[in-house]
Amino acid sequence: MTIREQESVKGNDPDRTIISAALTGALTTRDQCEEIPYTPAEIAEDAAAAREAGAAIAHIHARTENGSPTFDTDIYREIHDEIRERTDIVVNFSTGALDAPPEERIEYVEEVGPEIAALNMGSMNYAKYSDSRDEFVFDMVFENPFDEIRRFVTAMEEAGVRPELECFDTGHIGNTRPLLEQDELTHPLQFSLIMGVLGGIPATVENLAHQVRQLPASANWQVIGISRDQWPLVAAALSMGGNVRVGLEDNFYLPDGEMATNAELVAHAATLADSVGREPATPDEARAIMGLD
């Protein structure tokens, strides 16, 4: 059976894969990886380099100059403008946070109007455990109640921004059902299947296949593998007809253990796509595949 004939393709393009580059994240720092961009200009330069390496989408968390997370609308606007001066990549803003109120996390989406904005689809324990240290590195509760999800859906709809439905477990996919029944979410749907966060679904190929089976027939989907589990999941998703996300938010390393830049991570994902007979989509091709206006 060819990739084109597989049900797992869903609403994706079997010949072209959309590569997203998650450039910064909210928790990663230069103490961990010196290549992480902080300023709007640095983020824009990385977005342009990722585009040249094969990425169609740049996923953005804003930072201050010292690297702290920020939800400041002016900084998000500056990032957007800096990116647009350099490249045609699709811009995707994060709305996720562990302790910021929802009004802070949606204002910049409403005001700046990226093409896509991430929408976390459920609450969960969110932790990291170190086997070598035999202790939790961090241990938090990631709260995303339905009233907040619905508030974000409405705001994105009114702003003409496509929600990227971030699902850390099977139940998060199921959380779309009442929103579809009430016509708050509308097709086409775009899902991100995040795997490997402690508290969410473990990062295995079997679990990826399970997650994809739960998706609506026409859904666009991408896999987001955390840390070094990323590469086996990327390879599996590409073979299944999926899209993929890489970048320093999720993983610092190439498969050989070498610490990389955002562009190098994208380039390796593009090489893996080529190895299974698929091409990285351009930003305009990605817009067409996802049905973005």
Side-chain angles (χ1 to χ4, degrees), residues 80 90-93 108-117 159-162:
H80 186 274
V90 177
V91 176
N92 176 350
F93 284 172
Y108 54 84
V109 173
E110 296 172 308
E111 294 295 325
V112 181
E115 292 173 86
I116 302 172
V161 176
R162 171 69 57 80

Side-chain angles (χ1 to χ4, degrees), residues 27-90:
L27 300 176
T28 52
T29 69
R30 284 183 181 158
D31 290 337
Q32 299 167 301
C33 175
E34 63 183 17
E35 298 293 342
I36 293 170
Y38 283 173
T39 69
E42 290 169 348
I43 291 170
E45 289 294 336
D46 260 29
R51 163 67 170 101
E52 290 303 308
I57 299 174
H59 177 70
I60 307 296
H61 289 255
R63 301 289 192 96
T64 64
E65 289 189 0
N66 68 6
S68 301
T70 180
F71 306 99
D72 185 274
T73 296
D74 289 338
I75 293 178
Y76 269 101
R77 181 178 288 109
E78 185 177 356
I79 291 170
H80 186 274
D81 292 347
E82 291 275 2
I83 290 174
R84 279 290 160 263
E85 288 180 3
R86 292 166 171 81
T87 180
D88 62 345
I89 201 165
V90 177

Side-chain angles (χ1 to χ4, degrees), residues 214-225:
Q214 313 309 308
L215 300 176
S218 61
N220 294 115
W221 65 273
Q222 69 173 356
V223 73
I224 302 174

Side-chain angles (χ1 to χ4, degrees), residues 98-129:
L98 294 166
D99 55 8
E103 55 270 17
E104 288 188 16
R105 295 185 282 122
I106 195 60
E107 179 183 357
Y108 54 84
V109 173
E110 296 172 308
E111 294 295 325
V112 181
E115 292 173 86
I116 302 172
L119 175 61
N120 295 291
M121 287 304 299
S123 300
M124 60 183 292
N125 290 329
Y126 195 105
K128 181 177 181 180
Y129 180 78

